[in-house]
Amino acid sequence: FQIYAMPVFDMIETLLVKQLNFKPSMILRLFTRTTYVAFTMFVAIVFPFFGGLLGFFGGFAFAPTTYFLPCIMWLAIYKPKRFSLSWCTNWICIFLGLCLMILSPIGGMQNIIKNSKDYKFFS
């Protein structure tokens, strides 16, 4: 969460300082980060199928950028010998990342559909 939230924190703090003329301080940083974390916690509590949403969107965004795109770039840049250990390892990571990218949204959507059938907000 912290790694992916850091750009959001920076964007919010930059907006507050540059456009709304807030003074950059530790209090501003503490307030904006706490507010953002509280908001995401509220969203996670309100939607019991939040894990399904994470799986659904994570399959499209997280799996490619974390698992197989770096391996493809590494293979394109360094061009290791075919069937060497690093070549095989990268192709295994590409295959597993591709499987994760395909299966994760399917599982997330199934979870969302299953949980949303009998869900009532704030009941």
Side-chain angles (χ1 to χ4, degrees), residues 67-121:
Y67 289 108
F68 67 85
L69 285 179
C71 296
I72 292 172
M73 290 188 291
W74 192 89
L75 287 171
I77 291 170
Y78 289 106
K79 298 176 181 43
K81 285 185 174 182
R82 283 188 152 220
F83 303 108
S84 66
L85 179 63
S86 62
W87 187 88
C88 289
T89 304
N90 277 287
W91 275 105
I92 289 170
C93 288
I94 290 168
F95 176 74
L96 293 175
L98 192 62
C99 289
L100 184 66
M101 186 184 92
I102 292 169
L103 296 176
S104 180
I106 293 170
M109 183 57 76
Q110 178 188 11
N111 190 11
I112 291 169
I113 291 168
K114 188 175 79 173
N115 287 338
S116 64
K117 282 183 181 176
D118 52 13
Y119 178 71
K120 293 177 180 68
F121 285 100

Side-chain angles (χ1 to χ4, degrees), residues 16-33:
L16 290 173
V17 170
K18 288 187 177 180
Q19 292 185 357
L20 300 176
N21 298 324
F22 280 87
K23 181 181 175 189
S25 65
M26 185 65 90
I27 294 171
L28 177 67
R29 182 173 274 191
L30 181 68
F31 176 76
T32 56
R33 292 175 186 220

